[in-house]
Amino acid sequence: MINKTVANVTEACKGVKDGMTFMLGGFGLSGIPENAIAQLVKLNVMDVTCISNNAGVDDFGLGQLLQKHQIKKMISSYVGENAEFERQMLSGELDVELIPQGTLAQRCQAAKSGIPAFYTPAGYGTEVGEGKESKEFNGKMHLLEHAFKADFAFVKAWKGDTAGNLVFKGTARNFNPNMAGAATITVAEVEELVPAGELDPNHIHVPGIFVKRIFQGEKYEKRIEQLTVRKK
């Protein structure tokens, strides 16, 4: 069986260059590839395009790349809790493409499935649909949306094995399965890396065929974006 394990995040990010397009899993701060993001900050790659549901918060997640002005363009579904993201967008420093959340997920999935484009009713008649081809299906208008093209996809899983099979936990699953396999190179970081054959095949969410490199991450903070507790 093919062993897709690499020693660390440094090996996992080999080939990363300025001007590339990256997919990054996560929703808010849940399930983000913390180690990979930290390495991108360390490598100081510039003028990159990031495809991610949002950009984390000011000092964590993709917010760290925004603070260093490493990101040229964000393709997201919302700004989230990131004040710097909002500031750069409104000032024109950052090119931003905001698209419906379901469309974002499906454009990732289409790239993963080898489907070049698809039609969706989401966004028709709004600014989202400006300049896009449209077509009527069953009496309803739809927009033509194209699959994403990305150089690297960085995803985070709970468990993985040396063959690249992945298991996600709870809401950290989010966009990660859609992005795994949707780029030229998919890098998976996991909390626990086990030998091939140890994972229950019935519990695997993403088969290893979609993963190019896998490594065991470390020192996960797992911050909570909005902590809500019950009053006493």
Side-chain angles (χ1 to χ4, degrees):
M1 186 172 288
I2 298 174
N3 189 334
K4 300 184 177 181
T5 308
V6 293
N8 49 44
V9 68
T10 303
E11 292 292 319
C13 290
K14 274 191 173 180
V16 165
K17 297 178 181 178
D18 293 351
M20 283 187 164
T21 297
F22 304 141
M23 287 182 174
L24 299 108
F27 189 105
L29 298 179
S30 175
I32 63 171
E34 294 182 29
N35 286 255
I37 292 173
Q39 181 66 11
L40 294 177
V41 173
K42 182 179 179 180
L43 291 172
N44 200 36
V45 287
M46 304 299 292
D47 298 322
V48 298
T49 296
C50 290
I51 301 168
S52 183
N53 183 62
N54 59 292
V57 293
D58 289 341
D59 62 344
F60 197 62
L62 286 178
Q64 298 170 89
L65 277 76
L66 283 172
Q67 285 187 339
K68 294 183 63 178
H69 296 274
Q70 293 175 251
I71 301 175
K72 176 182 66 176
K73 180 177 182 179
M74 280 294 308
I75 300 175
S76 305
S77 66
Y78 76 110
V79 175
E81 302 293 325
N82 195 317
E84 179 62 15
F85 185 2
E86 181 181 12
R87 188 197 68 76
Q88 289 189 24
M89 179 179 71
L90 294 177
S91 68
E93 297 173 41
L94 178 69
D95 186 7
V96 177
E97 181 182 350
L98 293 176
I99 60 179
Q101 199 165 81
T103 302
L104 177 69
Q106 193 57 42
R107 288 178 70 180
C108 294
Q109 186 65 39
K112 177 176 181 174
S113 303
I115 297 172
F118 59 92
Y119 282 98
T120 175
Y124 179 78
T126 71
E127 291 183 12
V128 171
E130 291 181 2
K132 293 181 180 178
E133 179 183 330
S134 61
K135 191 172 182 179
E136 183 179 337
F137 293 91
N138 300 318
K140 190 172 185 178
M141 296 303 296
H142 292 67
L143 296 175
L144 182 66
E145 296 283 0
H146 293 267
F148 286 128
K149 294 181 180 179
D151 300 291
F152 279 82
F154 297 101
V155 301
K156 158 71 174 12
W158 173 45
K159 284 186 179 181
D161 66 21
T162 54
N165 298 301
L166 304 178
V167 178
F168 302 95
K169 189 174 185 179
T171 56
R173 190 169 174 177
N174 51 64
F175 281 83
N176 283 297
N178 299 76
M179 293 182 174
T184 302
I185 295 174
T186 292
V187 175
E189 60 177 77
V190 297
E191 294 180 42
E192 185 178 348
L193 185 62
V194 300
E198 188 168 316
L199 297 177
D200 184 340
N202 295 300
H203 294 164
I204 290 172
H205 296 129
V206 171
I209 190 67
F210 291 112
V211 175
K212 187 76 171 180
R213 303 170 188 170
I214 188 170
F215 70 98
Q216 183 163 319
E218 56 184 16
K219 299 178 182 178
Y220 287 106
E221 292 188 40
K222 296 185 182 180
R223 293 193 197 178
I224 298 175
E225 190 171 4
Q226 287 286 352
L227 180 62
T228 303
V229 295
R230 186 176 63 183
K231 293 181 180 179
K232 293 183 179 179

